[in-house]
Amino acid sequence: MSTEPEQPDFTDRQRAVLDKALELLVEGGEKALTTAAIARAAGCSKESLYKWFGDRDGLLAAIVTRQASKVIPGADPAANMSEDGLRAALEEFARNLLETISGDVSLALNRLAIGQASKSETGLGAILEKSGRARIGRQTTALLEKGCTLGYLHCEGPQEAYSTLYGLVVRDQHIRMLLGGTAQASAKDLELAAQTAVKQFIQLYGAQN
């Protein structure tokens, strides 16, 4: 399987190709996502696809990596910040996460991964874990660790705190969307959900507790 870069660093042309691949995936599912179809839709050669992304797993990893890059904390973990700044950064993370997982692309990717789950332990599910959730987790865990260092949060392990935060943000919403049992939330609903999740997280892990 192709390895993905630690940080997404695509050219404008590569991003345009990934956009076309995403459109094909959403509209036609797994069967539509062939190198020939992507090359035709994006107006490039199959040789270029192999050069940029490697094999099909490499292409899927690039798609997932680009999706994951949308879910970033709203602050640099290396920089000092106020307590209010940390809360705002966590709310931005929560909002970005909700917006991304509720989008057609993420739903299509996750439905495809579920359909492949019994076939292989190294397929799309593994790619989603490595290039998606694990990447997001590293970024946000670093932010939480900074919050602990500055004395704004009290937690024995930032990774445990991240798992709690993730659960408070996502709840059962993603499962319900994957099953088609809920309408897409409005921007106002997502904002309120993000604020509520972070408020509950601070109640659990705030330094005053």
Side-chain angles (χ1 to χ4, degrees), residues 77-81 86 141-158 205 207:
N80 287 327
M81 69 188 79
L86 174 63
T141 299
L143 180 62
L144 295 176
E145 188 171 11
K146 183 69 173 183
C148 292
T149 300
L150 292 173
Y152 304 146
L153 301 175
H154 176 71
C155 52
E156 294 183 1
Y205 288 95

Side-chain angles (χ1 to χ4, degrees), residues 97-134:
L97 177 59
L98 288 170
E99 289 175 351
T100 300
I101 66 172
S102 63
D104 290 339
V105 172
S106 289
L107 291 175
L109 284 168
N110 279 277
R111 285 169 179 151
L112 177 55
I114 291 170
Q116 295 180 349
S118 62
K119 302 177 184 178
S120 171
E121 295 180 356
T122 58
L124 181 55
I127 293 173
L128 284 169
E129 178 61 29
K130 179 182 179 183
S131 300
R133 181 165 178 172

Side-chain angles (χ1 to χ4, degrees), residues 23-43:
E23 290 177 12
L24 291 173
L25 177 64
V26 171
E27 293 173 2
E30 179 182 11
K31 293 181 179 179
L33 200 63
T34 66
T35 54
I38 295 169
R40 184 167 55 252

